[in-house]
Amino acid sequence: MSDYYNDGGYFKYAQQYYKEGKYEEAYNYIKHTLELYPNDSEVLKLANYIKNGLKGITNPVFIEYTDEMHEMDMRVSELIEATDYERALKFANIRLICYSDDAFGYMSRAIVYSCLEQYDKCFEDFETAINIDKENYHIYLERARINLDLEKYEDALNDLNTAIQTNDKVPDLYSLKSLVLSDLQRDDEAINAINQAISVAPHEPYYYSLRALLYRYMEDYDNAIEDYKTAIRLNPVEYGECCYDDIETTKILQENKNAQANAFLLDETPASSIQNTESNTDVESVKETYKNKVINKLGRKVDW
């Protein structure tokens, strides 16, 4: 929505000049908006179109995201949240009748089809959305989430890698990638993915708390404790109490692990009979906690 950006009207002028084929003028205006909204998908999309225009590359039809489109997407999201999928599909179809060339419309309906478990239609709509707008990372992100739900991990990973190539400044792409890699039992790569999320958003405690969970899953308790402490330092109000409790739990797990190792080294207990029940339980539960944190933060919505 052009009126959404508080940039002195630069985005609106950039749209206007782009539509008129005046790419140099459009570029001069979009540069200013990019400084204010470097991670906004609509700004990035228009900027890419303008750059392509300067290079003489033909772009897909540019569709301005209007208030009406946003309201319709909100309605579809609300109906999905209410699990009223049949009505959500009706509104998604109405959306496409009104705006048949908009990638978001097809992505919206694809999400509804996935809720209805009509996966052939779902993936067909995703393909249509991508053909309309190959530069929109949201489409790859949503398809990755559905592939993850279907345990098609390699397909999900491919989608996330494409999304990151399209926009490498979105930390949640890396957190979801880490979840997929963890499901593939590629734990070191999962940690690397979260490291990338932290490099994009170094002052956001959420990603440190996520990495702490991954470290706990890997039974690397020292690093887990350090990440919990970092999350507390960054936001003691929201993360103080919960992360403090997590630190205490992690310390107990660490002590139990050390005691287990010492018992084995002192030959006090046969190695085959040593079982750290608390640690095993934590490993089993922490993975589910990690998955829920990642998915819940993303939400399930079409009104991007």
Side-chain angles (χ1 to χ4, degrees), residues 60-189:
V61 176
F62 181 76
I63 304 217
E64 181 180 349
Y65 193 65
T66 65
D67 287 332
E68 183 178 60
M69 294 161 79
H70 178 66
E71 288 172 9
M72 294 174 79
D73 287 341
M74 283 285 290
R75 185 64 177 143
V76 175
S77 287
E78 289 165 1
L79 289 167
I80 289 174
E81 189 173 345
T83 67
D84 192 348
Y85 302 134
E86 292 295 341
R87 288 185 68 205
L89 180 59
K90 182 186 294 185
F91 272 92
N93 284 330
I94 293 169
R95 164 83 152 81
L96 283 170
I97 289 172
C98 297
Y99 304 99
S100 60
D101 292 326
D102 181 47
F104 272 105
Y106 287 97
M107 184 189 77
S108 172
R109 192 171 67 179
I111 293 170
V112 179
Y113 278 137
S114 74
C115 295
L116 291 165
E117 298 184 2
Q118 297 182 29
Y119 293 110
D120 288 343
K121 293 180 179 179
C122 164
F123 287 111
E124 183 179 332
D125 271 354
F126 273 123
E127 284 299 321
T128 303
I130 289 168
N131 287 334
I132 293 172
D133 189 357
K134 292 180 174 64
E135 301 298 317
N136 193 326
Y137 77 88
H138 291 300
I139 302 169
Y140 302 105
L141 168 61
E142 285 301 326
R143 190 169 68 176
R145 292 178 55 179
I146 291 167
N147 278 321
L148 177 60
D149 290 341
L150 296 173
E151 298 184 0
K152 296 165 67 174
Y153 300 122
E154 292 292 349
D155 288 342
L157 188 59
N158 288 336
D159 274 334
L160 288 168
N161 285 333
T162 303
I164 289 167
Q165 288 174 5
T166 303
N167 186 346
D168 61 359
K169 302 299 182 185
V170 182
D172 286 335
L173 293 176
Y174 298 106
S175 63
L176 188 59
K177 181 179 177 179
S178 74
L179 177 60
V180 174
L181 288 165
S182 183
D183 282 333
L184 289 168
Q185 299 183 332
R186 291 156 62 176
D187 294 333
D188 289 340
E189 292 177 73

Side-chain angles (χ1 to χ4, degrees), residues 1-15 28-37 43 46:
M1 294 177 290
S2 60
D3 291 339
Y4 168 80
Y5 303 103
N6 185 20
D7 65 347
Y10 283 84
F11 184 75
K12 188 173 183 179
Y13 286 123
Q15 286 180 317
N28 290 332
Y29 280 104
I30 199 64
K31 282 193 300 183
H32 180 76
T33 308
L34 271 171
E35 291 176 2
L36 297 174
Y37 303 95
V43 174
L46 180 57

Side-chain angles (χ1 to χ4, degrees), residues 266-286:
L266 294 172
D267 203 24
E268 294 176 355
T269 310
S272 59
S273 67
I274 297 175
Q275 289 186 346
N276 188 342
T277 305
E278 287 185 70
S279 177
N280 291 341
T281 302
D282 186 67
V283 167
E284 292 168 4
S285 65
V286 79

